[in-house]
Amino acid sequence: MPRVVPDQRSKFENEEFFRKLSRECEAFVATGTNLSLQFFPANYHGDQRQVPTREYVDFERETGKVYLKAPMILNGVCVMWRGWIDLQRLDGMGFLEYDDERAQQEDALAQAAFEEARRRTRDFEDRDRSHREDLEVRGQRPMQTIEVFSKYCRKDRSASCLKGGLALQSHFTESVREESQP
């Protein structure tokens, strides 16, 4: 399942949600949006989290404030949250901007996943077609009807169901024998 929508930039520029959050506002309180910022989440291999660089967490730009930058995927769109927090009052300002570089990376990952799914579907269809052709060459019919009937009989264990299943199976077995005889 792709993590991003097909046309991220258009969604970012046209949806009211993103338009509101792309204007600098008081740490999103005015919009009712709360974000939990993770600068570098631990990776899937369980490695240690990276320490964010000054580019992402800057205590030195202005005394008494920390400037933050955090990449994320929000509603299927790659964005970068940028803002600052006053260390005394614990309030601040922030906004979202479209992250074009990350969007291109995520689009490439989504395209690769789509192509892999398409390839696997094609492989499955090829194997299925080959299997059906092999059955036809041997003069056999797929046993789909018997399989469906036997699944039904597993639920309904009555004698009539079991007897009907045996009759159906013997009918198909007999017809396969007749077709295979020269």
Side-chain angles (χ1 to χ4, degrees):
M1 172 105 182
R3 297 172 356 148
V4 294
V5 296
D7 190 2
Q8 296 180 61
R9 182 178 292 281
S10 175
K11 183 172 181 170
F12 181 81
E13 291 172 351
N14 295 319
E15 282 193 9
E16 183 64 25
F17 173 76
F18 286 110
R19 282 200 306 256
K20 279 183 184 178
L21 296 179
S22 65
R23 293 184 293 256
E24 190 171 57
C25 61
E26 291 185 359
F28 290 26
V29 173
T31 62
T33 303
N34 294 320
L35 298 176
S36 174
L37 303 179
Q38 288 188 341
F39 299 99
F40 297 102
N43 64 23
Y44 295 115
H45 306 296
D47 294 344
Q48 292 286 328
R49 292 178 190 243
Q50 298 175 7
V51 175
T53 63
R54 191 168 167 202
E55 178 185 3
Y56 293 95
V57 179
D58 186 357
F59 285 94
E60 297 174 14
R61 185 187 299 180
E62 189 175 336
T63 305
K65 290 184 180 178
V66 59
Y67 282 81
L68 304 169
K69 175 178 158 182
M72 69 182 84
I73 298 175
L74 183 63
N75 291 356
V77 178
C78 292
V79 295
M80 182 74 68
W81 185 87
R82 292 180 187 269
W84 57 266
I85 297 175
D86 183 296
L87 296 173
Q88 293 296 317
R89 295 188 321 247
L90 297 179
D91 65 0
M93 303 286 274
F95 63 96
L96 290 179
E97 62 184 21
Y98 182 69
D99 189 347
D100 192 47
E101 183 180 329
R102 178 107 183 266
Q104 289 175 11
Q105 292 170 353
E106 288 291 334
D107 283 342
L109 287 172
Q111 184 64 32
F114 178 74
E115 292 299 326
E116 176 64 15
R118 182 183 291 168
R119 184 194 62 76
R120 291 177 73 187
T121 301
R122 233 183 354 259
D123 289 350
F124 173 78
E125 289 170 348
D126 291 345
R127 283 192 311 272
D128 185 54
R129 188 179 316 99
S130 175
H131 176 68
R132 289 183 183 280
E133 289 170 357
D134 287 348
L135 287 176
E136 288 175 10
V137 167
R138 291 186 206 150
Q140 297 176 351
R141 294 183 190 159
M143 303 296 273
Q144 294 173 344
T145 306
I146 292 175
E147 291 170 1
V148 169
F149 197 82
S150 67
K151 285 179 185 175
Y152 172 77
C153 284
R154 279 187 219 130
K155 293 178 185 172
D156 177 14
R157 295 237 179 240
S158 67
S160 62
C161 185
L162 294 174
K163 185 190 265 185
L166 290 173
L168 183 62
Q169 187 174 8
S170 70
H171 170 73
F172 274 107
T173 305
E174 199 59 41
S175 65
V176 168
R177 275 193 210 134
E178 289 173 6
E179 290 176 3
S180 63
Q181 291 178 358

